[in-house]
Amino acid sequence: MIFGERFRAKYALSEAGEANVKRGVLWTVVTNLVVMAGIGILYLLMQDYMATLVDGAALPGALPYALGVVAFVAVSFLTHLRQYHYTYSVVYDEVGHVRTALAERLRRLPLSFFGHRDLAELTETMMSDVDRLEHVWSHVLGYLYGGYISTAIIAVMVLVLDWRLGLACLWGVPVAFALLFGSRKVFDAYARRAKAAGLAVADSIQETLEDMREIRATNQEARYLAGVDDLIDESERLQTAAELRIGIFVNAASVIMRLGMATTVLVGVGLILSGQIDFMTLFMYLLMVTRIYAPFDQSLALIAEVFVSDVSVRRLNEVFDAPVATGSEVFAPQGHDIAFDRVGFAYGEEAVLEDVSFVAREGEVTALVGPSGSGKSTCARLAARLWDHDAGSLTVGGVEVLDVDPETLMGAFSMVFQDVTLFDDTIMENIRLGRRGATDEEVLAAAAAANCDEFVGRLADGYATQIGENGARLSGGERQRISIARALLKDAPIVLLDEATASLDVENETKVQGALSRLLAGKTVLVIAHRMRTVMGADKIVVLEGGRVVEQGTPVELLAAGGTFARMVELQGANAGWSV
């Protein structure tokens, strides 16, 4: 069967997209057959004219032919119009559907999926790959598959009328396509290399733009730009090589297919000389042979698009086939204690957490401390199900987080990460993202609690100030306070603070900590911090080292124990006296 699930997977089509392609194929077949019928009118006219020349018969009246031509033009116009609609107009809608489906899929994928892919690759998939496939869906599939079907129908007709002339004009079609598809493996290798080179260019440009401050600070502009130039040159070279190879095979296939016209003439002349057919039979086949090749003209010219699209299809299917994080949309916890019970997590082959057990209780501030890479941020992300743990049990209010839909679970969490993400909008709207529909008064109250008034008051437009891409017009501390205000506005029962005050000076850090202490009363608070003074007011401290819990207790208890936490406090105290 031509169509179906395998067809959709082969071209990364949705069910609606497949239905549109089917309609495009149908109307392409109808159009090709209508055009072939028009050749029949020309044949009848030529037959009557030849009868007049040879036998002296009177020419028939022009009215029947005039009516036939008018009918042909009208029907041809209508079928071409329907063909255009179903091969172009409706197919363009598929682009929007696919991009929306991609965005929806990405929204539901766990963060572990994004850990294996960079931003440039995903952007390339959503934009360039979908654009390339749109060209295949609209310009190739309808004509190609429609050409297959209409040629098969016409082939039966020409073989029935005269199998010798039929073979003479048809042999080139299967040979041409056999040559073309036989070269596919050769082309695929170059296409993959060209695609990888294009991604390397995108990665390099993105990296250069994102790190421009560091590049300029180290006076490395010339070296980085030279590297980008080299990657662009390599990408152009590989792309040219790939297109040259497929171009050779496409043109060779076109020449072979067109040789069918020559063999039709040679065989036909031989049959006429032997008295087996008359001239009009040969004339009819010469007319038909042009229409047999015509449906493939555009498809052959664009067949490379189908080959190149394999890379894009694979990348799209990787996203659509990736398992999403699923679970119940009902979340009814008994309180909001976060309990880790022998939890394990590995990033690929690398173990990050092993046998981690602790409880962050509701109404308390639990601090996670430890050296960099010890697994503190991973614990927070597992609790909110941004990643899924591999072993053990992790519950919120007695409910296993793996059993809850991530978006439903996220409703119980407010988070402030060290790396703040803001949007090119006003300060007011960036804070309002914490809870859509919040009133201006509620937004301003959260902003005041996060100590935003102090710097917003210096801005000409106040909270209506546009802050630029990712808050480019603000300092790191100002961006952090907006993120804290957003979390406070959400007012979720669980709050995760991952180095939330890392970008604040001592004075503002103290103010924000005071605001958090007042506004987070009664919530489950999980704090991740490197500065020990930040966590001295915590109700409980969990010390992680090498992905394992090595200590836990109150700050007083851990200081008295003289273990890892006490040593970290001592080291930071010693560093505080360091000066240039």
Side-chain angles (χ1 to χ4, degrees), residues 60-79:
L63 182 60
Y65 287 107
L67 292 175
V69 170
V70 170
F72 167 74
V73 171
V75 173
S76 179
F77 173 79
L78 292 174
T79 55

Side-chain angles (χ1 to χ4, degrees), residues 454-516:
E454 181 262 333
F455 73 86
V456 174
R458 298 195 299 267
L459 302 174
D461 296 325
Y463 282 95
T465 300
Q466 293 280 338
I467 61 176
E469 184 178 357
N470 202 22
R473 297 188 180 95
L474 302 177
S475 69
E478 292 166 350
R479 295 168 67 248
Q480 195 75 285
R481 277 178 272 179
I482 291 176
S483 181
I484 293 171
R486 184 189 292 170
L488 295 174
L489 179 64
K490 187 175 182 181
D491 195 28
I494 302 173
V495 179
L496 303 181
L497 303 174
D498 187 353
E499 293 289 346
T501 59
S503 299
L504 304 179
D505 55 46
V506 175
E507 180 181 356
N508 281 316
E509 180 185 13
T510 302
K511 292 178 181 179
V512 170
Q513 285 179 336
L516 291 174

Side-chain angles (χ1 to χ4, degrees), residues 227-241:
V228 173
D229 285 341
D230 290 341
L231 289 172
I232 291 174
D233 290 342
E234 177 67 5
S235 177
E236 289 180 348
R237 186 186 69 79
L238 289 173
Q239 188 67 39
T240 301

Side-chain angles (χ1 to χ4, degrees), residues 250-579:
V250 166
N251 282 283
S254 181
V255 169
I256 289 173
M257 190 170 66
R258 293 291 178 181
L259 286 176
M261 185 174 292
T263 56
T264 302
V265 172
L266 291 175
V267 172
V269 169
L271 292 173
I272 289 174
L273 293 177
S274 64
Q276 299 181 60
I277 64 171
D278 57 18
F279 171 77
M280 288 307 301
T281 302
L282 176 59
F283 178 72
M284 178 183 66
Y285 271 85
L286 290 176
L287 288 176
M288 287 195 296
V289 78
T290 60
R291 290 311 309 162
I292 290 173
Y293 303 146
F296 295 118
D297 283 343
Q298 185 174 11
S299 297
L300 273 179
L302 297 172
I303 199 71
E305 294 276 353
V306 176
F307 294 170
V308 172
S309 72
D310 278 353
V311 178
S312 299
V313 167
R314 281 196 294 268
R315 287 149 57 94
L316 278 175
N317 286 337
E318 282 178 4
V319 177
F320 286 123
D321 294 341
V324 298
T326 59
S328 172
E329 295 185 2
V330 177
F331 179 48
Q334 302 298 313
H336 293 91
D337 289 355
I338 302 175
F340 285 71
D341 184 13
R342 305 179 67 85
V343 169
F345 175 75
Y347 186 77
E349 298 296 326
E350 179 184 359
V352 179
L353 296 180
E354 297 182 44
D355 203 28
V356 171
S357 297
F358 68 89
V359 178
R361 300 197 179 279
E362 187 172 9
E364 295 184 356
V365 176
T366 301
L368 302 180
V369 301
S372 295
S374 59
K376 305 183 297 296
S377 295
T378 301
C379 286
R381 284 161 172 75
L382 291 178
R385 209 187 168 189
L386 297 178
W387 293 333
D388 286 346
H389 55 278
D390 302 320
S393 172
L394 202 171
T395 61
V396 173
V399 179
E400 170 61 56
V401 296
L402 295 182
D403 297 333
V404 184
D405 181 82
E407 291 193 1
T408 302
L409 182 68
M410 193 63 65
F413 285 81
S414 290
M415 293 179 287
V416 180
F417 295 124
Q418 182 177 4
D419 297 325
V420 179
T421 299
L422 301 177
F423 295 89
D424 188 6
D425 205 337
T426 65
I427 295 175
M428 178 77 77
E429 293 308 313
N430 267 280
I431 296 175
R432 204 190 305 273
L433 284 176
R435 177 158 52 89
R436 302 304 296 173
T439 65
D440 289 351
E441 290 74 17
E442 291 171 327
V443 173
L444 294 173
N451 201 30
C452 293
D453 287 345
E454 181 262 333
F455 73 86
V456 174
R458 298 195 299 267
L459 302 174
D461 296 325
Y463 282 95
T465 300
Q466 293 280 338
I467 61 176
E469 184 178 357
N470 202 22
R473 297 188 180 95
L474 302 177
S475 69
E478 292 166 350
R479 295 168 67 248
Q480 195 75 285
R481 277 178 272 179
I482 291 176
S483 181
I484 293 171
R486 184 189 292 170
L488 295 174
L489 179 64
K490 187 175 182 181
D491 195 28
I494 302 173
V495 179
L496 303 181
L497 303 174
D498 187 353
E499 293 289 346
T501 59
S503 299
L504 304 179
D505 55 46
V506 175
E507 180 181 356
N508 281 316
E509 180 185 13
T510 302
K511 292 178 181 179
V512 170
Q513 285 179 336
L516 291 174
S517 299
R518 292 190 301 273
L519 296 175
L520 301 181
K523 302 182 186 300
T524 304
V525 183
L526 201 60
V527 178
I528 300 169
H530 285 103
R531 289 190 288 191
M532 295 302 102
R533 67 181 296 274
T534 304
V535 300
M536 282 302 182
D539 298 290
K540 180 180 182 178
I541 292 177
V542 178
V543 183
L544 289 152
E545 192 169 5
R548 294 177 176 271
V549 175
V550 295
E551 292 180 333
Q552 54 181 307
T554 66
V556 174
E557 291 171 346
L558 295 184
L559 286 173
T564 302
F565 178 74
R567 186 169 64 254
M568 293 174 67
V569 173
E570 182 181 354
L571 287 173
Q572 285 201 3
N575 291 338
W578 181 84
S579 61

